[in-house]
Amino acid sequence: MRSRATTPQGTTTPRATTAARAWATARRADGPQGKGRAGGRPPGRARLTGVLLILLSLASAAACCLVFAWWLPSDGERYQDYRAADSCSSGALSRGDTDCLSTWHLTVEKTVNKTAGKESVHDATLTYQDSWRGTVHLNGSGPLLERLEPGDRVTATAWRGEIMVLGQGGVRQDTLEAPRDELQMNAAVGVLAGLLAAQCLVFGAVRLVRPLDHEPLTWEPYGRWLLFTVIGVSFGVGLPAVWTGVPWWTVPLVAVPLAMCAALWFRFRLRLRRYG
């Protein structure tokens, strides 16, 4: 993890792969042909899978609560505080007040601007006189980082002890520390955690109650369809919400009904496949 760059002063959610592993375990417990039958195996294995799914459900539910009760409000409050911050007065600087916006004139020592596979590095190493040296991580190559050269002078805007913006000649670029109004993606993560919790709870409870016959709540194909659908719906709604700037609460308002409709549609398809 990269360290945060401070001003020159002498400031969980369940991963889809985890859910996939649990569903893979469920798939193996469903029998040799994914029909929901025990396939000659003892019911204890199906019950154990049910317990694991319920535990995963509890973890997902806790993550969902954490997103909506803490992460989303915290990010929203931080963004509003940043937007409302005024420039620091000389008295505020002498007192060490960091809730205001301070300005620093820094020198570029070097830049790293590359994209290699899945990892992108967009850094600028800056110095202040002979007393401070630090690296800031920017949110992309442009519009400023790509034009910076060693020895260039830049203006840094800092807030709460962290550099938020770099500027030069009227061109400005945010660092990764700058608060953003992207609460829609926070909500998308919370929705995903909540939907995974519901799915794992239902599939796990069925295995405890009916360990020898839990069709159609098996991994193949119903569980697989639902898992990838809730992931696609959550981010398929969250990303356009960020791009269009609609309020964050529209994400659960749209994504949850869509996921429920998809679950009913998949169930209908299975019935048609069986009896059609």
PDB file of all heavy atoms in Angstrom, residues 247-268:
ATOM      1  N   PRO A 247     -28.748  10.883  -7.431  1.00  0.00           N
ATOM      2  CA  PRO A 247     -28.497  10.642  -6.004  1.00  0.00           C
ATOM      3  C   PRO A 247     -28.146   9.179  -5.731  1.00  0.00           C
ATOM      4  O   PRO A 247     -28.629   8.265  -6.412  1.00  0.00           O
ATOM      5  CB  PRO A 247     -29.832  11.030  -5.344  1.00  0.00           C
ATOM      6  CG  PRO A 247     -30.482  11.968  -6.303  1.00  0.00           C
ATOM      7  CD  PRO A 247     -30.071  11.505  -7.661  1.00  0.00           C
ATOM      8  N   TRP A 248     -27.351   8.955  -4.690  1.00  0.00           N
ATOM      9  CA  TRP A 248     -26.862   7.618  -4.394  1.00  0.00           C
ATOM     10  C   TRP A 248     -27.986   6.661  -4.047  1.00  0.00           C
ATOM     11  O   TRP A 248     -27.903   5.451  -4.320  1.00  0.00           O
ATOM     12  CB  TRP A 248     -25.836   7.651  -3.259  1.00  0.00           C
ATOM     13  CG  TRP A 248     -26.407   8.034  -1.922  1.00  0.00           C
ATOM     14  CD1 TRP A 248     -26.406   9.273  -1.347  1.00  0.00           C
ATOM     15  CD2 TRP A 248     -27.064   7.167  -0.990  1.00  0.00           C
ATOM     16  NE1 TRP A 248     -27.027   9.239  -0.121  1.00  0.00           N
ATOM     17  CE2 TRP A 248     -27.442   7.947   0.122  1.00  0.00           C
ATOM     18  CE3 TRP A 248     -27.391   5.809  -0.980  1.00  0.00           C
ATOM     19  CZ2 TRP A 248     -28.106   7.430   1.223  1.00  0.00           C
ATOM     20  CZ3 TRP A 248     -28.062   5.279   0.117  1.00  0.00           C
ATOM     21  CH2 TRP A 248     -28.401   6.080   1.206  1.00  0.00           C
ATOM     22  N   TRP A 249     -29.073   7.175  -3.426  1.00  0.00           N
ATOM     23  CA  TRP A 249     -30.143   6.286  -2.988  1.00  0.00           C
ATOM     24  C   TRP A 249     -30.920   5.680  -4.158  1.00  0.00           C
ATOM     25  O   TRP A 249     -31.709   4.740  -3.965  1.00  0.00           O
ATOM     26  CB  TRP A 249     -31.104   7.014  -2.046  1.00  0.00           C
ATOM     27  CG  TRP A 249     -31.564   8.373  -2.508  1.00  0.00           C
ATOM     28  CD1 TRP A 249     -31.053   9.586  -2.152  1.00  0.00           C
ATOM     29  CD2 TRP A 249     -32.638   8.634  -3.438  1.00  0.00           C
ATOM     30  NE1 TRP A 249     -31.732  10.591  -2.785  1.00  0.00           N
ATOM     31  CE2 TRP A 249     -32.712  10.044  -3.571  1.00  0.00           C
ATOM     32  CE3 TRP A 249     -33.535   7.835  -4.141  1.00  0.00           C
ATOM     33  CZ2 TRP A 249     -33.644  10.656  -4.402  1.00  0.00           C
ATOM     34  CZ3 TRP A 249     -34.468   8.442  -4.967  1.00  0.00           C
ATOM     35  CH2 TRP A 249     -34.511   9.840  -5.086  1.00  0.00           C
ATOM     36  N   THR A 250     -30.706   6.189  -5.371  1.00  0.00           N
ATOM     37  CA  THR A 250     -31.353   5.561  -6.517  1.00  0.00           C
ATOM     38  C   THR A 250     -30.731   4.201  -6.839  1.00  0.00           C
ATOM     39  O   THR A 250     -31.368   3.369  -7.491  1.00  0.00           O
ATOM     40  CB  THR A 250     -31.261   6.461  -7.759  1.00  0.00           C
ATOM     41  OG1 THR A 250     -29.882   6.693  -8.079  1.00  0.00           O
ATOM     42  CG2 THR A 250     -31.943   7.798  -7.520  1.00  0.00           C
ATOM     43  N   VAL A 251     -29.496   3.969  -6.391  1.00  0.00           N
ATOM     44  CA  VAL A 251     -28.824   2.698  -6.690  1.00  0.00           C
ATOM     45  C   VAL A 251     -29.560   1.526  -6.036  1.00  0.00           C
ATOM     46  O   VAL A 251     -29.957   0.582  -6.729  1.00  0.00           O
ATOM     47  CB  VAL A 251     -27.346   2.753  -6.275  1.00  0.00           C
ATOM     48  CG1 VAL A 251     -26.680   1.392  -6.480  1.00  0.00           C
ATOM     49  CG2 VAL A 251     -26.618   3.819  -7.081  1.00  0.00           C
ATOM     50  N   PRO A 252     -29.778   1.526  -4.697  1.00  0.00           N
ATOM     51  CA  PRO A 252     -30.554   0.409  -4.138  1.00  0.00           C
ATOM     52  C   PRO A 252     -32.000   0.404  -4.612  1.00  0.00           C
ATOM     53  O   PRO A 252     -32.605  -0.663  -4.756  1.00  0.00           O
ATOM     54  CB  PRO A 252     -30.462   0.639  -2.622  1.00  0.00           C
ATOM     55  CG  PRO A 252     -30.092   2.070  -2.457  1.00  0.00           C
ATOM     56  CD  PRO A 252     -29.264   2.419  -3.645  1.00  0.00           C
ATOM     57  N   LEU A 253     -32.550   1.585  -4.870  1.00  0.00           N
ATOM     58  CA  LEU A 253     -33.941   1.660  -5.310  1.00  0.00           C
ATOM     59  C   LEU A 253     -34.145   0.972  -6.655  1.00  0.00           C
ATOM     60  O   LEU A 253     -35.220   0.426  -6.921  1.00  0.00           O
ATOM     61  CB  LEU A 253     -34.364   3.136  -5.404  1.00  0.00           C
ATOM     62  CG  LEU A 253     -35.864   3.434  -5.509  1.00  0.00           C
ATOM     63  CD1 LEU A 253     -36.581   2.973  -4.252  1.00  0.00           C
ATOM     64  CD2 LEU A 253     -36.097   4.921  -5.741  1.00  0.00           C
ATOM     65  N   VAL A 254     -33.123   0.982  -7.502  1.00  0.00           N
ATOM     66  CA  VAL A 254     -33.222   0.354  -8.825  1.00  0.00           C
ATOM     67  C   VAL A 254     -32.636  -1.058  -8.813  1.00  0.00           C
ATOM     68  O   VAL A 254     -33.216  -1.993  -9.384  1.00  0.00           O
ATOM     69  CB  VAL A 254     -32.504   1.219  -9.876  1.00  0.00           C
ATOM     70  CG1 VAL A 254     -32.466   0.507 -11.226  1.00  0.00           C
ATOM     71  CG2 VAL A 254     -33.198   2.567 -10.017  1.00  0.00           C
ATOM     72  N   ALA A 255     -31.492  -1.239  -8.160  1.00  0.00           N
ATOM     73  CA  ALA A 255     -30.769  -2.508  -8.256  1.00  0.00           C
ATOM     74  C   ALA A 255     -31.506  -3.650  -7.557  1.00  0.00           C
ATOM     75  O   ALA A 255     -31.545  -4.773  -8.079  1.00  0.00           O
ATOM     76  CB  ALA A 255     -29.368  -2.352  -7.663  1.00  0.00           C
ATOM     77  N   VAL A 256     -32.082  -3.393  -6.389  1.00  0.00           N
ATOM     78  CA  VAL A 256     -32.739  -4.474  -5.648  1.00  0.00           C
ATOM     79  C   VAL A 256     -33.941  -5.036  -6.407  1.00  0.00           C
ATOM     80  O   VAL A 256     -34.058  -6.263  -6.571  1.00  0.00           O
ATOM     81  CB  VAL A 256     -33.124  -3.998  -4.231  1.00  0.00           C
ATOM     82  CG1 VAL A 256     -33.964  -5.055  -3.521  1.00  0.00           C
ATOM     83  CG2 VAL A 256     -31.866  -3.696  -3.417  1.00  0.00           C
ATOM     84  N   PRO A 257     -34.876  -4.198  -6.903  1.00  0.00           N
ATOM     85  CA  PRO A 257     -35.969  -4.771  -7.703  1.00  0.00           C
ATOM     86  C   PRO A 257     -35.494  -5.498  -8.951  1.00  0.00           C
ATOM     87  O   PRO A 257     -36.065  -6.526  -9.323  1.00  0.00           O
ATOM     88  CB  PRO A 257     -36.823  -3.539  -8.060  1.00  0.00           C
ATOM     89  CG  PRO A 257     -36.523  -2.550  -7.003  1.00  0.00           C
ATOM     90  CD  PRO A 257     -35.084  -2.759  -6.664  1.00  0.00           C
ATOM     91  N   LEU A 258     -34.448  -4.978  -9.603  1.00  0.00           N
ATOM     92  CA  LEU A 258     -33.920  -5.660 -10.783  1.00  0.00           C
ATOM     93  C   LEU A 258     -33.401  -7.051 -10.432  1.00  0.00           C
ATOM     94  O   LEU A 258     -33.650  -8.028 -11.164  1.00  0.00           O
ATOM     95  CB  LEU A 258     -32.801  -4.837 -11.408  1.00  0.00           C
ATOM     96  CG  LEU A 258     -33.210  -3.664 -12.300  1.00  0.00           C
ATOM     97  CD1 LEU A 258     -31.969  -2.934 -12.805  1.00  0.00           C
ATOM     98  CD2 LEU A 258     -34.051  -4.136 -13.473  1.00  0.00           C
ATOM     99  N   ALA A 259     -32.684  -7.151  -9.316  1.00  0.00           N
ATOM    100  CA  ALA A 259     -32.157  -8.452  -8.902  1.00  0.00           C
ATOM    101  C   ALA A 259     -33.289  -9.410  -8.550  1.00  0.00           C
ATOM    102  O   ALA A 259     -33.232 -10.608  -8.871  1.00  0.00           O
ATOM    103  CB  ALA A 259     -31.215  -8.275  -7.717  1.00  0.00           C
ATOM    104  N   MET A 260     -34.331  -8.916  -7.907  1.00  0.00           N
ATOM    105  CA  MET A 260     -35.469  -9.765  -7.559  1.00  0.00           C
ATOM    106  C   MET A 260     -36.189 -10.252  -8.814  1.00  0.00           C
ATOM    107  O   MET A 260     -36.574 -11.426  -8.913  1.00  0.00           O
ATOM    108  CB  MET A 260     -36.421  -9.000  -6.652  1.00  0.00           C
ATOM    109  CG  MET A 260     -35.847  -8.668  -5.288  1.00  0.00           C
ATOM    110  SD  MET A 260     -36.968  -7.669  -4.275  1.00  0.00           S
ATOM    111  CE  MET A 260     -38.351  -8.788  -4.103  1.00  0.00           C
ATOM    112  N   CYS A 261     -36.370  -9.362  -9.772  1.00  0.00           N
ATOM    113  CA  CYS A 261     -37.006  -9.758 -11.031  1.00  0.00           C
ATOM    114  C   CYS A 261     -36.171 -10.796 -11.765  1.00  0.00           C
ATOM    115  O   CYS A 261     -36.710 -11.747 -12.347  1.00  0.00           O
ATOM    116  CB  CYS A 261     -37.228  -8.529 -11.909  1.00  0.00           C
ATOM    117  SG  CYS A 261     -38.499  -7.392 -11.303  1.00  0.00           S
ATOM    118  N   ALA A 262     -34.833 -10.624 -11.730  1.00  0.00           N
ATOM    119  CA  ALA A 262     -33.958 -11.591 -12.377  1.00  0.00           C
ATOM    120  C   ALA A 262     -34.070 -12.956 -11.711  1.00  0.00           C
ATOM    121  O   ALA A 262     -34.099 -13.993 -12.387  1.00  0.00           O
ATOM    122  CB  ALA A 262     -32.517 -11.097 -12.341  1.00  0.00           C
ATOM    123  N   ALA A 263     -34.153 -12.987 -10.368  1.00  0.00           N
ATOM    124  CA  ALA A 263     -34.283 -14.261  -9.654  1.00  0.00           C
ATOM    125  C   ALA A 263     -35.576 -14.963 -10.040  1.00  0.00           C
ATOM    126  O   ALA A 263     -35.594 -16.186 -10.261  1.00  0.00           O
ATOM    127  CB  ALA A 263     -34.229 -14.013  -8.153  1.00  0.00           C
ATOM    128  N   LEU A 264     -36.672 -14.208 -10.131  1.00  0.00           N
ATOM    129  CA  LEU A 264     -37.951 -14.805 -10.531  1.00  0.00           C
ATOM    130  C   LEU A 264     -37.907 -15.292 -11.975  1.00  0.00           C
ATOM    131  O   LEU A 264     -38.458 -16.341 -12.302  1.00  0.00           O
ATOM    132  CB  LEU A 264     -39.080 -13.795 -10.346  1.00  0.00           C
ATOM    133  CG  LEU A 264     -39.381 -13.395  -8.899  1.00  0.00           C
ATOM    134  CD1 LEU A 264     -40.437 -12.289  -8.862  1.00  0.00           C
ATOM    135  CD2 LEU A 264     -39.843 -14.610  -8.094  1.00  0.00           C
ATOM    136  N   TRP A 265     -37.250 -14.533 -12.850  1.00  0.00           N
ATOM    137  CA  TRP A 265     -37.162 -14.924 -14.249  1.00  0.00           C
ATOM    138  C   TRP A 265     -36.347 -16.209 -14.410  1.00  0.00           C
ATOM    139  O   TRP A 265     -36.730 -17.111 -15.163  1.00  0.00           O
ATOM    140  CB  TRP A 265     -36.545 -13.804 -15.064  1.00  0.00           C
ATOM    141  CG  TRP A 265     -36.156 -14.194 -16.462  1.00  0.00           C
ATOM    142  CD1 TRP A 265     -34.901 -14.231 -16.977  1.00  0.00           C
ATOM    143  CD2 TRP A 265     -37.029 -14.633 -17.502  1.00  0.00           C
ATOM    144  NE1 TRP A 265     -34.918 -14.651 -18.279  1.00  0.00           N
ATOM    145  CE2 TRP A 265     -36.216 -14.915 -18.638  1.00  0.00           C
ATOM    146  CE3 TRP A 265     -38.404 -14.824 -17.600  1.00  0.00           C
ATOM    147  CZ2 TRP A 265     -36.746 -15.364 -19.837  1.00  0.00           C
ATOM    148  CZ3 TRP A 265     -38.925 -15.278 -18.800  1.00  0.00           C
ATOM    149  CH2 TRP A 265     -38.107 -15.541 -19.905  1.00  0.00           C
ATOM    150  N   PHE A 266     -35.235 -16.310 -13.699  1.00  0.00           N
ATOM    151  CA  PHE A 266     -34.435 -17.523 -13.761  1.00  0.00           C
ATOM    152  C   PHE A 266     -35.218 -18.727 -13.239  1.00  0.00           C
ATOM    153  O   PHE A 266     -35.124 -19.837 -13.785  1.00  0.00           O
ATOM    154  CB  PHE A 266     -33.144 -17.357 -12.955  1.00  0.00           C
ATOM    155  CG  PHE A 266     -32.187 -16.358 -13.538  1.00  0.00           C
ATOM    156  CD1 PHE A 266     -31.347 -15.618 -12.718  1.00  0.00           C
ATOM    157  CD2 PHE A 266     -32.120 -16.153 -14.906  1.00  0.00           C
ATOM    158  CE1 PHE A 266     -30.452 -14.705 -13.250  1.00  0.00           C
ATOM    159  CE2 PHE A 266     -31.232 -15.242 -15.453  1.00  0.00           C
ATOM    160  CZ  PHE A 266     -30.403 -14.513 -14.624  1.00  0.00           C
ATOM    161  N   ARG A 267     -35.989 -18.503 -12.171  1.00  0.00           N
ATOM    162  CA  ARG A 267     -36.813 -19.600 -11.639  1.00  0.00           C
ATOM    163  C   ARG A 267     -37.853 -20.027 -12.661  1.00  0.00           C
ATOM    164  O   ARG A 267     -38.117 -21.222 -12.852  1.00  0.00           O
ATOM    165  CB  ARG A 267     -37.509 -19.133 -10.348  1.00  0.00           C
ATOM    166  CG  ARG A 267     -38.366 -20.199  -9.692  1.00  0.00           C
ATOM    167  CD  ARG A 267     -37.506 -21.285  -9.090  1.00  0.00           C
ATOM    168  NE  ARG A 267     -38.320 -22.332  -8.509  1.00  0.00           N
ATOM    169  CZ  ARG A 267     -38.646 -23.454  -9.134  1.00  0.00           C
ATOM    170  NH1 ARG A 267     -38.208 -23.684 -10.362  1.00  0.00           N
ATOM    171  NH2 ARG A 267     -39.371 -24.371  -8.535  1.00  0.00           N
ATOM    172  N   PHE A 268     -38.429 -19.080 -13.359  1.00  0.00           N
ATOM    173  CA  PHE A 268     -39.413 -19.392 -14.395  1.00  0.00           C
ATOM    174  C   PHE A 268     -38.769 -20.168 -15.532  1.00  0.00           C
ATOM    175  O   PHE A 268     -39.338 -21.133 -16.056  1.00  0.00           O
ATOM    176  CB  PHE A 268     -40.043 -18.096 -14.906  1.00  0.00           C
ATOM    177  CG  PHE A 268     -41.054 -18.286 -15.989  1.00  0.00           C
ATOM    178  CD1 PHE A 268     -42.271 -18.897 -15.727  1.00  0.00           C
ATOM    179  CD2 PHE A 268     -40.788 -17.853 -17.285  1.00  0.00           C
ATOM    180  CE1 PHE A 268     -43.210 -19.074 -16.734  1.00  0.00           C
ATOM    181  CE2 PHE A 268     -41.712 -18.031 -18.290  1.00  0.00           C
ATOM    182  CZ  PHE A 268     -42.934 -18.646 -18.011  1.00  0.00           C
TER     183      PHE A 268
END
